């Protein structure tokens, strides 16, 4: 609020100053073409263009003009662009947040008539890939078609898994990867791993298990906590990762960028003839729709220098239980040890609607404890990736632990019911403690010997 008030005050002074210097050269009006468009290209158009997740395009003057006041309000309050990492533990390569100067430019433009200026001042349009892709895929694999009903009981659609052929007939290095749903509004997530082909493989056949659920759609029965499953199912608690054969766990969640390993001279090696095990989770939105997801890859002719591994490990463990009305529940810890030298390249905190904050720590072999990502105000609507500006070198023997807090009080406006105890589960009204991350390893390191999972052992606060 203070910042907002100050900005208004500042703009007021500028307006007064400007009115007295109308004839001087310093009176360079803020225009769309010259000052605002470069900011939108760099920080906004990745989402605000046709076919992407944002509700309106900010590509041309005509697109953007009606939103001038709203843009000012959203950038001044720092709701746009969405970015939640505490800058004290950065910097990040993909940080889209605006500088104070850029915020002031947009505010001044909105306050001074939101003019276009001379189109000749405009930078060349960004050459975005066609058909809504973020990458320009060399190979496109058809995902399973799924009819999402308009409504179901409590809006539950269970997670569904399909096997589909990858189409790779020889060992292939993929250098970027994108999962592209056709109906973003109903897609909660789509994740997949590469798995070895089995002769009895049946392609595009849905597989799911119906959980018994109570009146609010919360899974019941079958152990404590009930229906506790890993996102993705392959690398859950107690299971050592590595059952997949192609660099780990790949996901689409709303807001997440495509995976691009090229800037790190890295890739994932996909063995010939491998199948894809893909899992989809949809949320009905009142209108029957059919989603036809596609998976796109770019491929390399020669092996890149490094291998990329993505981990979808979940924490929390059997004791995870948020009491009713608890505003600051601390999850049992997540912890693992790196058994090879790695470089950390990205983080993606994932929790559900009661998620409040998440912090990733490294404890180096010399005992030093370093925070590598802190998201102090988690927002379930934004599943963002955070990529450190420089990869973080992690020597063998380093431990990683992650702390997550949850708000099950009435003050959490996304909370569907503060009166109940919340366990881990698959639906957004159940919870999840999933600190996803990606690492680079040298090509000669065995990808199955990179991490050892902890047993959710309690870690002291001072660790
Ligand atoms: C990661 C994707 C993403 C980026 C980057 C992004 N936006 Fe958005 N924006 C969205 C989505 C999705 C919505 C709609 C949901 C919401 O309002 O939270 C939205 C909403 C908005 C709205 C409100 C629209 C309304 O209906 O009232 C404005 C204004 C806006 N964005 C401006 C910007 C500007 C300006 C930038 C860059 C400085 C930007 N956004 C960057 C995804 C993004």
């Amino acid at each position: 609020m203070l910042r907002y008030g100050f900005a208004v005050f500042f703009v007021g002074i500028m307006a007064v100053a400007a009115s007295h210097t109308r004839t001087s050269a310093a009176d360079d009006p803020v225009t769309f073409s010259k000052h605002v468009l470069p900011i939108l290209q760099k920080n906004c158009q990745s989402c605000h263009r046709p076919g992407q997740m944002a509700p309106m395009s900010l590509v041309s003057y005509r697109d953007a003009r009606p939103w001038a006041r709203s843009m000012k309000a959203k950038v001044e309050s720092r709701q746009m662009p969405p970015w939640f990492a505490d800058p004290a533990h950065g910097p990040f390569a993909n940080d889209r947040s605006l500088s104070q100067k850029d915020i002031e430019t947009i505010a001044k433009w909105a306050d001074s008539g939101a003019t276009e200026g001379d189109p000749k001042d405009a930078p060349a349009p960004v050459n975005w890939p066609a058909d809504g892709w973020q990458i320009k895929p060399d190979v496109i694999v058809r995902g399973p078609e799924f009819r999402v009903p308009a409504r179901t009981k409590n809006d539950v659609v269970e997670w569904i898994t399909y096997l589909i052929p990858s189409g790779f007939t020889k060992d292939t290095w993929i250098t970027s990867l994108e999962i592209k749903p056709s109906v973003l509004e109903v897609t909660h997530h789509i994740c997949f791993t590469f798995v070895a082909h089995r002769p009895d493989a049946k392609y595009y056949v849905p597989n799911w298990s119906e959980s018994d659920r109570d009146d609010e759609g919360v899974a019941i029965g079958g152990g404590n906590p009930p229906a506790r499953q890993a996102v993705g199912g392959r690398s859950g608690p107690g299971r050592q990762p590595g059952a997949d054969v192609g660099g780990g766990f790949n996901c689409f969640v709303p807001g997440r960028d495509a995976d691009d390993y090229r800037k790190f001279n890295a890739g994932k090696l996909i063995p010939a003839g491998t199948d894809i095990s893909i899992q989809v989770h949809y949320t009905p939105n009142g209108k029957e729709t059919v989603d036809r997801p596609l998976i796109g890859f770019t491929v390399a002719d020669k092996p890149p220098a490094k291998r990329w591994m993505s981990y979808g490990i979940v924490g929390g463990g059997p004791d995870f239980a948020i009491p009713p009305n608890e505003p600051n529940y601390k999850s049992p810890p997540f912890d693992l040890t790196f058994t090879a030298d790695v470089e950390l390249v990205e983080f993606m905190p994932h929790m559900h609607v009661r998620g409040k904050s998440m912090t990733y720590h490294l404890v180096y072999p010399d005992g030093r404890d370093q925070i590598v990502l802190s998201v102090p105000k988690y927002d379930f609507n934004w599943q963002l990736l955070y990529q450190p500006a420089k990869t973080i070198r992690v020597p063998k023997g380093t431990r990683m632990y992650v702390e997550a807090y949850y708000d099950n009080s009435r003050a959490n406006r996304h909370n569907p019911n503060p009166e109940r105890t919340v366990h881990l589960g698959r639906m957004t009204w159940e919870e999840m403690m999933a600190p996803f991350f990606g690492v680079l390893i040298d090509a000669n390191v065995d990808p199955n010997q990179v991490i050892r999972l902890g047993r959710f052992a309690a870690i002291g606060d001072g660790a």
Side-chain angles (χ1 to χ4, degrees):
M1 278 325 275
L2 189 62
R3 174 182 290 137
Y4 186 80
F6 182 73
V8 169
F9 177 66
F10 180 70
V11 168
I13 301 232
M14 291 302 291
V16 170
S19 68
H20 286 287
T21 54
R22 192 155 287 156
T23 51
S24 83
D27 185 19
D28 186 11
V30 178
T31 69
F32 182 80
S33 301
K34 190 168 180 180
H35 305 98
V36 174
L37 184 55
I39 301 172
L40 303 186
Q41 288 185 342
K42 190 160 152 272
N43 303 85
C44 318
Q45 290 181 3
S46 57
C47 302
H48 286 275
R49 63 186 157 94
Q52 299 300 318
M53 65 183 304
M56 77 288 191
S57 168
L58 295 177
V59 172
S60 70
Y61 177 68
R62 276 178 60 153
D63 294 338
R65 175 65 186 86
W67 297 97
R69 299 223 66 77
S70 173
M71 280 161 64
K72 176 187 168 190
K74 292 278 178 179
V75 299
E76 282 185 337
S77 63
R78 292 195 177 267
Q79 285 167 278
M80 283 287 146
W83 185 260
F84 302 95
D86 179 348
H89 306 288
F92 296 90
N94 61 339
D95 185 349
R96 291 195 205 89
S97 54
L98 296 183
S99 66
Q100 194 54 39
K101 189 167 151 278
D102 289 345
I103 293 173
E104 282 159 20
T105 299
I106 290 176
K108 272 189 230 167
W109 173 69
D111 288 340
S112 60
T115 56
E116 179 170 21
D118 187 345
K120 284 208 278 303
D121 291 338
V126 180
N127 188 13
W128 297 106
D131 301 327
W133 289 100
Q134 296 173 33
I135 59 168
K136 291 192 175 109
D138 300 320
V139 179
I140 296 176
V141 175
R142 180 174 65 90
E145 189 174 297
F146 189 80
R147 185 173 300 276
V148 186
R151 282 275 172 261
T152 58
K153 188 163 175 248
N154 288 312
D155 284 345
V156 171
V157 177
E158 298 288 351
W159 295 12
I160 301 171
T161 315
Y162 299 80
L163 211 55
I164 61 177
S166 75
F168 292 119
T169 51
K170 56 178 192 183
D171 291 359
T172 307
W173 282 95
I174 58 170
T175 53
S176 71
L177 173 166
E178 181 174 353
I179 303 168
K180 193 166 78 74
S182 66
V183 191
L184 290 169
E185 299 88 307
V186 293
T187 309
H188 173 283
H189 74 250
I190 299 180
C191 297
F192 75 87
T193 48
F194 289 97
V195 295
H197 175 73
R198 291 189 8 204
D200 60 348
K202 286 200 182 66
Y203 294 135
Y204 294 101
V205 177
N207 270 295
W208 76 95
S209 59
E210 211 68 52
S211 296
D212 286 337
R213 293 183 180 277
D214 68 12
D215 291 345
E216 292 181 6
V218 174
I220 47 173
N224 177 34
R228 178 164 53 84
Q229 287 116 348
V231 181
R234 296 200 67 82
S235 336
R239 280 199 232 173
Q240 290 297 333
D244 81 282
V245 295
F249 180 70
N250 310 297
C251 269
F252 166 87
V253 277
R256 178 174 171 156
D257 295 329
D259 284 5
D260 199 335
Y261 319 128
R262 288 171 289 194
K263 47 185 183 251
F264 301 96
N265 192 10
K268 292 184 174 181
L269 180 60
I270 313 306
T274 304
D275 289 335
I276 289 174
S277 171
I278 185 168
Q279 173 203 73
V280 296
H281 178 196
Y282 292 103
T283 315
N285 73 345
K287 225 173 57 201
E288 186 181 278
T289 40
V290 178
D291 186 42
R292 297 184 179 84
L294 299 173
I295 309 174
F297 303 103
T298 57
V299 298
D301 333 328
K302 51 181 201 301
K306 284 175 188 157
R307 200 189 273 266
W308 183 294
M309 299 290 297
S310 310
Y311 289 99
I313 304 166
V314 297
D319 297 336
F320 186 105
I322 315 176
N325 296 300
E326 167 60 58
N328 202 31
Y329 175 75
K330 185 178 183 184
S331 164
F334 164 105
D335 119 273
L336 58 79
T337 304
F338 290 98
T339 52
D341 294 344
V342 303
E343 289 170 69
L344 270 166
V345 273
E346 70 182 20
F347 307 101
M348 198 199 85
H350 178 73
M351 298 181 272
H352 286 168
V353 295
R354 292 171 178 92
K356 185 176 183 184
S357 69
M358 197 180 265
T359 313
Y360 291 61
H361 293 249
L362 291 179
V363 184
Y364 293 99
D366 65 8
R368 192 163 52 96
D369 186 319
Q370 182 194 4
I371 294 176
V372 284
L373 174 71
S374 166
V375 173
K377 278 201 191 116
Y378 177 81
D379 182 338
F380 172 69
N381 292 305
W382 298 105
Q383 303 290 324
L384 301 186
L385 273 182
Y386 299 95
Q387 298 185 322
K390 267 177 49 196
T391 62
I392 300 165
R393 292 190 173 279
V394 180
K396 176 179 171 172
T398 300
R399 192 162 62 89
M400 180 163 86
Y401 72 95
V402 178
E403 294 180 321
Y405 287 84
Y406 297 80
D407 182 356
N408 193 17
S409 76
R410 214 167 280 283
N412 174 358
R413 65 194 170 90
H414 301 298
N415 192 351
N417 183 357
E419 301 303 329
R420 69 181 300 159
T421 303
V422 182
H423 296 284
L424 297 179
R426 290 178 157 185
M427 298 294 147
T428 60
W429 50 88
E430 302 167 302
E431 261 312 328
M432 205 156 265
M433 195 284 193
F436 297 157
F437 63 96
V439 301
L440 297 175
I441 56 174
D442 279 343
N444 60 4
V445 170
D446 178 351
N448 294 317
Q449 305 293 329
V450 175
I451 62 171
R452 189 175 62 238
L453 287 184
R455 312 175 113 219
F456 312 113
I459 298 170
D461 280 337

